[in-house]
Amino acid sequence: MSESHPVGAPLEAHLESESESGAEEQPQEVGEGSQDATTTATEKTKKKKKRSKRSKLVSALKGEKLSEPAESSKSPSKLPDEAVKKLLEMNPSLKGELAGIPPEKASEILRKMDVSQLLSGISLNGKNQKDMASYKFWATQPVPKFDEKPEDSRPDGPIKEVTPEMVPKTAAPLPEGYEWCELDLTNDEEIKEVYKLLSQHYVEDDHAMFRFNYSAVFLDWALKSPGWKKSWHIGVRAKGPSRLLVASIFGIPIKLRIRQNVLDVVEINFLCVHKKLRSRRLAPVLIKEITRRCNLDGVYQAIYTGGVVLPTPVGSCRYFHRSLDWSKLYEIGFSPLPPNSTPAKMIARNQLPSNTSTPGWRVMEERDIEPVYDLLSRYLTRFELAQEFTRDEVEHWFINKHKPEDQVVWSFVAEQDGKITDFGSFYCLESSVIGEMSKKHDKIRAAYLYYYASEHAFNPKEKGLKERLTQLVQDLLIEAKKAKFDVFNALTLHDNPLFLEQLKFGAGDGQLHHYLYNWRTKPISGGINAKNQPDESKRGGIGIVLL
Ligand SMILES: CCCCCCCCCCCCCC(=O)SCCNC(=O)CCNC(=O)[C@H](O)C(C)(C)COP(=O)(O)OP(=O)(O)OC[C@H]1O[C@@H](n2cnc3c(N)ncnc32)[C@H](O)[C@@H]1OP(=O)(O)O
């Protein structure tokens, strides 16, 4: 936990007292097999194993001898030097890691990695280093293994057939001292509790400088979409008078098209475990509980995203950032000052026109719901992985129903001769500055590119689409600047590779991996090429945005 982030004393005190009473000491890894129950001793053994794995890798990288992998007979004994060179060029992070290692040795290391891993930029070190066997939980789940070959021609479909009799009727028990709860998001107090848990314990960047700060209003919007179910809003509370919320996982129902199949799935988000309860195998228990509840409701597939590599991304995108207030981003350490530049030059470079330029541009209103629903639905058919929105969902996700200070989503249309020709939107997600820099500014106000659509997409050979989207997204940047955002973020999904560079988005160091649960399909492009660069020819894959 960041030293500079204040955590209420009662919370800390409570967890300490739970710990003393043994509640924190025995977090059983319920349901993953009793041999998996985490005791201090097994934790230590696991850490030792992990360390030895890491040392082995380090040794390999330093040129010491690696033992042959079991499947070595299937692999060519040596990659041609040319292939090694190419792979290194294609995966920049690997290039750094293998720098200075003789080509022979690099070949040996690369040979042990799955080609899809190499191409998707999954690196050898840090949080991405684990092999399949080390994913003790995920290895038991109906998700593709890392080494499933893309050329595997099994048709798209469920990995595991689940029948109602197979689904447990009750939740697995939690470790002593904790209990399940359903979170009632119609109750403001409970939304505030979720906000508090997430604002203190949710996703941080690798350097613990920033943490997502999803507002209570945002959570209300994100989790109460049409068809939402209270039973998919799951919490874990400490028993006792405080009933402190210490963990969460949420699902909302959506219709998802994966290539030609349209499925009722759950979109999972906001998996969070209190920092003091980390590494105690609570996440697998939460995941299994939401799986059980979805299965009981006849839902057998899920979609989710994450910055960490798990078995196995169906497609990965890269984050891009467009500075709106460069000085602030620089002051908090978000944006660097490039060599040979000056702050004045950077500010000038990021200037935007003061007025929008798309003809007929205006804020989206209720009367636009039908035409936007029509345009967006047609536009999304161009992607292999996309949500199938209903009219009510278009209303929910794109019409702002909040007063200006609470606004979460901004949507615009272009209307010409009474026809809606274009639509674009972004949402607001602040991050807390949690490191040293928080003394200067405590929040970054970030706009995230959300859905957009244009009639130009249907022109023969997409004529004029690139120019139109560049104009449309520039107008969104201008609107975001007016609404006092500091930065505008976008992924490489949808048609984004058409305009990121021209609109001065800079490549971020984050990837966003997209996952499907219990569905086999071939990899889906996330708009980046093997060099991890946005690539216009790689569009048409991921067409869904998860919050
Ligand atoms: C049909 C319906 C199906 C519905 C379910 C579909 C699947 C939904 C899946 C969930 C989609 C969530 C989408 C989002 O919300 S993504 C956002 C996730 N949240 C955060 O990053 C917030 C900050 N971090 C935390 O709160 C904790 O570190 C979390 C909760 C992430 C893990 O807690 P902790 O650090 O205390 O670990 P543990 O000892 O309990 O458990 C360790 C196991 O957990 C695996 N792990 C770690 N991170 C993730 C992750 N992001 N997705 C899935 N699994 C993850 C890990 O590989 C290991 O398994 P294995 O390596 O041994 O195999």
Side-chain angles (χ1 to χ4, degrees):
M1 186 173 304
S2 160
E3 297 302 325
S4 62
H5 186 70
V7 175
L11 174 122
E12 296 290 326
H14 176 82
L15 284 168
E16 292 312 327
S17 70
E18 288 296 339
S19 170
E20 275 155 31
S21 70
E24 258 198 277
E25 297 293 301
Q26 304 290 332
Q28 296 276 329
E29 192 174 297
V30 190
E32 278 188 90
S34 52
Q35 76 275 20
D36 289 341
T38 39
T39 59
T40 314
T42 49
E43 255 327 309
K44 275 185 189 159
T45 326
K46 267 196 244 166
K47 279 192 184 142
K48 219 171 171 180
K49 271 193 199 153
K50 264 191 194 163
R51 268 200 301 272
S52 70
K53 202 176 269 283
R54 200 171 300 139
S55 329
K56 196 166 159 188
L57 206 60
V58 170
S59 310
L61 294 174
K62 283 185 179 156
E64 292 165 25
K65 194 173 163 33
L66 270 177
S67 59
E68 282 301 300
E71 71 282 9
S72 63
S73 59
K74 277 194 252 150
S75 317
S77 61
K78 181 179 178 302
L79 284 172
D81 288 352
E82 208 32 51
V84 172
K85 220 173 106 195
K86 228 180 173 89
L87 282 168
L88 292 179
E89 272 169 15
M90 287 155 105
N91 185 333
S93 61
L94 262 183
K95 198 173 178 182
E97 288 167 39
L98 297 181
I101 295 175
E104 287 259 321
K105 190 55 62 186
S107 161
E108 191 180 336
I109 293 164
L110 291 169
R111 177 160 58 80
K112 292 174 171 68
M113 293 183 77
D114 181 76
V115 171
S116 61
Q117 266 176 277
L118 288 165
L119 297 186
S120 62
I122 295 173
S123 101
L124 281 168
N125 68 1
K127 60 185 174 184
N128 298 339
Q129 80 174 41
K130 297 209 295 186
D131 57 28
M132 192 64 210
S134 345
Y135 288 94
K136 280 202 98 191
F137 168 65
W138 282 108
T140 68
Q141 297 299 299
V143 291
K145 312 272 178 257
F146 283 137
D147 55 5
E148 273 180 41
K149 300 287 176 277
E151 62 271 21
D152 183 343
S153 61
R154 272 179 288 183
D156 287 17
I159 294 170
K160 179 181 172 190
E161 287 296 346
V162 183
T163 58
E165 312 77 66
M166 292 158 74
V167 185
K169 298 293 169 287
T170 52
L174 283 168
E176 190 53 39
Y178 298 95
E179 63 188 7
W180 292 110
C181 68
E182 274 179 15
L183 292 156
D184 178 4
L185 301 188
T186 61
N187 176 339
D188 282 352
E189 286 313 305
E190 297 207 17
I191 296 203
K192 275 188 206 145
E193 282 185 280
V194 178
Y195 167 73
K196 192 173 165 204
L197 172 72
L198 298 179
S199 64
Q200 297 178 350
H201 304 281
Y202 200 50
V203 179
E204 294 176 8
D205 70 304
D206 281 352
H207 310 289
M209 289 168 75
F210 311 106
R211 185 187 312 122
F212 281 140
N213 185 40
Y214 287 88
S215 67
V217 182
F218 189 114
L219 295 170
D220 186 67
W221 173 69
L223 295 169
K224 279 163 51 190
S225 54
W228 68 278
K229 295 164 194 282
K230 187 173 161 216
S231 58
W232 293 4
H233 294 171
I234 306 174
V236 172
R237 291 186 184 280
K239 285 183 180 163
S242 82
R243 301 199 65 240
L244 184 75
L245 183 65
V246 295
S248 67
I249 189 164
F250 291 87
I252 52 166
I254 62 159
K255 246 189 213 321
L256 182 70
R257 184 176 48 74
I258 311 167
R259 301 198 156 96
Q260 71 282 10
N261 293 290
V262 180
L263 309 172
D264 285 310
V265 312
V266 53
E267 183 178 308
I268 302 285
N269 210 340
F270 306 116
L271 165 64
C272 184
V273 169
H274 188 293
K275 289 185 175 194
K276 290 234 161 180
L277 293 176
R278 294 276 168 88
S279 303
R280 289 155 195 264
R281 314 301 299 178
L282 199 52
V285 184
L286 285 157
I287 293 168
K288 279 188 288 189
E289 178 54 10
I290 202 153
T291 304
R292 187 185 74 82
R293 289 173 183 227
C294 292
N295 287 171
L296 284 178
D297 289 331
V299 170
Y300 302 105
Q301 276 76 34
I303 182 165
Y304 49 103
T305 54
V308 292
V309 177
L310 303 166
T312 297
V314 66
S316 301
C317 298
R318 188 168 181 187
Y319 272 110
F320 278 72
H321 312 283
R322 201 318 178 163
S323 303
L324 300 176
D325 183 345
W326 186 84
S327 307
K328 176 171 170 187
L329 297 175
Y330 177 61
E331 279 168 19
I332 57 181
F334 184 85
S335 295
L337 178 63
N340 306 325
S341 193
T342 62
K345 277 191 199 161
M346 290 308 290
I347 292 164
R349 180 183 144 79
N350 287 298
Q351 281 294 340
L352 282 162
S354 21
N355 295 312
T356 60
S357 61
T358 310
W361 181 263
R362 61 172 173 79
V363 169
M364 179 180 170
E365 298 170 15
E366 302 254 346
R367 64 182 159 119
D368 303 316
I369 294 171
E370 285 294 342
V372 166
Y373 167 52
D374 172 66
L375 174 61
L376 181 62
S377 304
R378 283 184 290 120
Y379 176 78
L380 291 177
T381 60
R382 301 164 66 251
F383 300 92
E384 289 176 319
L385 183 69
Q387 178 166 353
E388 293 219 328
F389 287 104
T390 62
R391 184 225 168 262
D392 286 356
E393 285 171 330
V394 168
E395 173 168 3
H396 175 85
W397 292 119
F398 303 116
I399 298 287
N400 169 45
K401 303 239 161 114
H402 296 106
K403 40 189 193 318
E405 61 274 26
D406 286 338
Q407 186 163 358
V408 180
V409 68
W410 278 251
S411 304
F412 302 87
V413 292
E415 179 182 350
Q416 278 193 301
D417 305 325
K419 191 174 182 302
I420 301 303
T421 54
D422 303 81
F423 150 76
S425 59
F426 57 83
Y427 62 84
C428 166
L429 166 52
E430 287 188 353
S431 281
S432 303
V433 182
I434 52 179
E436 256 299 289
M437 307 298 183
S438 61
K439 285 176 205 142
K440 282 213 149 168
H441 302 281
D442 63 347
K443 296 275 185 311
I444 307 185
R445 194 168 145 81
Y448 284 72
L449 181 57
Y450 197 27
Y451 284 90
Y452 57 83
S454 173
E455 287 291 353
H456 283 71
F458 311 109
N459 288 344
K461 296 193 177 159
E462 299 183 336
K463 190 161 181 293
L465 179 64
K466 185 180 170 107
E467 295 70 21
R468 184 62 165 198
L469 290 183
T470 307
Q471 182 179 36
L472 190 144
V473 176
Q474 170 157 300
D475 286 351
L476 291 176
L477 292 171
I478 293 168
E479 297 287 357
K481 178 79 186 167
K482 268 196 233 161
K484 305 251 174 314
F485 283 90
D486 303 318
V487 62
F488 197 104
N489 297 332
L491 287 157
T492 49
L493 42 70
H494 287 147
D495 281 312
N496 299 3
L498 290 179
F499 53 75
L500 290 172
E501 197 185 0
Q502 188 169 340
L503 291 177
K504 300 183 180 141
F505 280 80
D509 46 19
Q511 299 274 123
L512 189 69
H513 305 290
H514 292 70
Y515 298 95
L516 297 174
Y517 183 92
N518 196 20
W519 193 260
R520 174 180 293 110
T521 191
K522 285 210 256 326
I524 294 178
S525 169
I528 39 177
N529 59 24
K531 289 183 179 165
N532 205 16
Q533 296 304 319
D535 187 331
E536 295 182 9
S537 72
K538 302 284 177 199
R539 293 172 299 135
I542 293 182
I544 185 168
V545 181
L546 274 72
L547 300 172

